[in-house]
Amino acid sequence: MIRTILIFIISTVFFSCSKEKRSDKAAEKMQDFVIAISNYARGYDPDFIVIPQNGIELCFNNIAPNDGQNSSYMSSINGIGVEELFYNGTYALDGERLSMLQQLKTSKKIMVSEFVSDNNYTSDAFLRNYNEGFICFTRSSDNYHYKQIPDSIPYENTSNITNLSLAQNHLYLISTDNYSSKQEMISAISATNFDVVLIDLFFEGTEFTLSEINQLKTKANGGQRLVISYINIGSAEKFRYYWKKGWGLHHPLWLKRKYNGYEDEFWVKFWKKDWQDIIYGNDKSYMKKILNAGFDGAYLDNVEAYYFLYYKD
């Protein structure tokens, strides 16, 4: 019996260490992936903005905050997007992530999206983030999937926002569910004074055009603003143009496993060439479509795939 227990313990420790090593190795590959995406985009537009969401550890050497910042990765990005830092429904400070962000905020814009289950928490969420020097977007239960434009804008201003460091607020609106047409959505956004607008490249499967994106680059008060495109680089989505019908039964080997909570998404082995070719590097790639549409930058979601490929989400 004792021998059986010892074997179980040794096996568990070995498996855990193996997963950690594979995850750390994958994290290095994600750093390289983000850098490559950035280099590709800036080859067309030297001022192109790159903002990875979550995966804050990628900013550091060896994925370890005590080992110093990774200069190559940091040079490739302009800001860092973060979800649920102080609030995840109710107040739930993530002290470890906050500590990392405090090291990074002097050189990168920190864009936080808080989830508040009660609108009475909104003012506190704003206060905590702005006291740290972060810009904040809050969403409640009926806006969990980023489909509504809030009624108020923190630190609303008339400034021309010519680079991300100047932004004092942002709109996170990647769902089109509340709009019956592109123009309705464009008009709704155009009537606001957000400094940064984050939207999807597509409206119900149709790409926004250069002229349509240009309409969004001026705030209602006349100030200039930035328009950023969402792109998912760590998981594949069944509703995207690149998804093939046959993948249901005979999917590519780089499609790893389902993304819990999102039935149309699958974590991917993002370092595989076939997936990276979908994302960047050629005229048919997702990033080239974003560039062609005239976006000021890209918001890279699911960069933390390096972790969730090996640990349950």
Side-chain angles (χ1 to χ4, degrees), residues 27-285:
E28 294 175 3
K29 293 177 181 178
M30 180 56 80
Q31 288 173 326
D32 292 340
F33 190 22
V34 172
I35 291 169
I37 291 170
S38 178
N39 288 341
Y40 173 73
R42 291 174 181 173
Y44 288 94
D45 177 3
D47 297 321
F48 194 81
I49 296 166
V50 176
I51 309 165
Q53 176 170 266
N54 299 320
I56 306 168
E57 299 89 349
L58 296 173
C59 295
F60 301 96
N61 294 317
N62 306 313
I63 323 302
N66 292 332
D67 288 355
Q69 296 180 21
N70 185 302
S71 58
S72 296
Y73 184 82
M74 290 293 282
S75 296
S76 73
I77 67 174
N78 302 82
I80 302 162
V82 183
E83 290 181 298
E84 288 95 44
L85 179 62
F86 288 99
Y87 276 85
N88 189 0
T90 58
Y91 180 73
L93 170 63
D94 188 330
E96 184 177 359
R97 288 198 297 164
L98 176 59
S99 178
M100 287 189 283
L101 292 170
Q102 287 171 334
Q103 296 183 53
L104 303 170
K105 67 181 182 180
T106 57
S107 61
K108 302 299 172 187
K109 177 65 70 174
I110 310 299
M111 303 169 63
V112 179
S113 170
E114 300 284 14
F115 169 55
V116 295
S117 58
D118 188 321
N119 286 329
N120 290 325
Y121 298 141
T122 298
S123 59
D124 185 64
F126 281 139
L127 181 64
R128 291 180 184 277
N129 278 284
Y130 281 95
N131 281 347
E132 290 289 344
F134 309 155
I135 62 174
C136 178
F137 178 85
T138 63
R139 69 199 197 281
S140 53
S141 298
D142 60 350
N143 190 30
Y144 188 78
H145 295 292
Y146 303 103
K147 62 182 181 179
Q148 298 175 5
I149 298 177
D151 294 329
S152 60
I153 303 174
Y155 295 93
E156 189 171 358
N157 63 83
T158 60
S159 301
N160 289 320
I161 308 303
T162 54
N163 63 71
L164 191 62
S165 65
L166 300 174
Q168 298 182 55
N169 53 69
H170 68 294
L171 170 63
Y172 200 149
L173 186 70
I174 56 173
S175 171
T176 62
D177 288 354
N178 282 1
Y179 303 97
S180 60
S181 68
K182 273 186 179 182
Q183 194 53 55
E184 183 184 5
M185 185 174 180
I186 290 169
S187 297
I189 296 171
S190 297
T192 73
N193 291 317
F194 285 97
D195 289 347
V196 179
V197 171
L198 168 59
I199 62 172
D200 201 272
L201 168 63
F202 295 90
F203 184 95
E204 296 183 357
T206 302
E207 297 165 37
F208 281 100
T209 65
L210 179 61
S211 62
E212 289 167 339
I213 295 304
N214 283 338
Q215 291 179 56
L216 298 176
K217 292 188 177 183
T218 303
K219 296 187 275 190
N221 59 29
Q224 183 179 341
R225 67 169 154 219
L226 302 170
V227 183
I228 308 295
S229 176
Y230 173 93
I231 175 174
N232 190 341
I233 69 167
S235 67
E237 299 162 312
K238 291 175 68 174
F239 53 86
R240 296 298 184 184
Y241 70 93
Y242 55 73
W243 189 271
K244 294 179 173 51
K245 290 182 180 180
W247 287 1
L249 292 174
H250 307 287
H251 61 76
L253 294 178
W254 45 262
L255 271 180
K256 179 71 171 176
R257 63 183 180 86
K258 286 187 176 181
Y259 188 146
N260 289 340
Y262 296 86
E263 62 180 19
D264 289 332
E265 289 191 45
F266 296 80
W267 293 110
V268 297
K269 295 179 180 178
F270 53 83
W271 56 89
K272 295 297 185 180
K273 185 178 185 302
D274 286 351
W275 173 251
Q276 295 201 356
D277 285 345
I278 289 172
I279 298 299
Y280 81 100
N282 59 82
D283 287 345
K284 294 182 179 180
S285 67

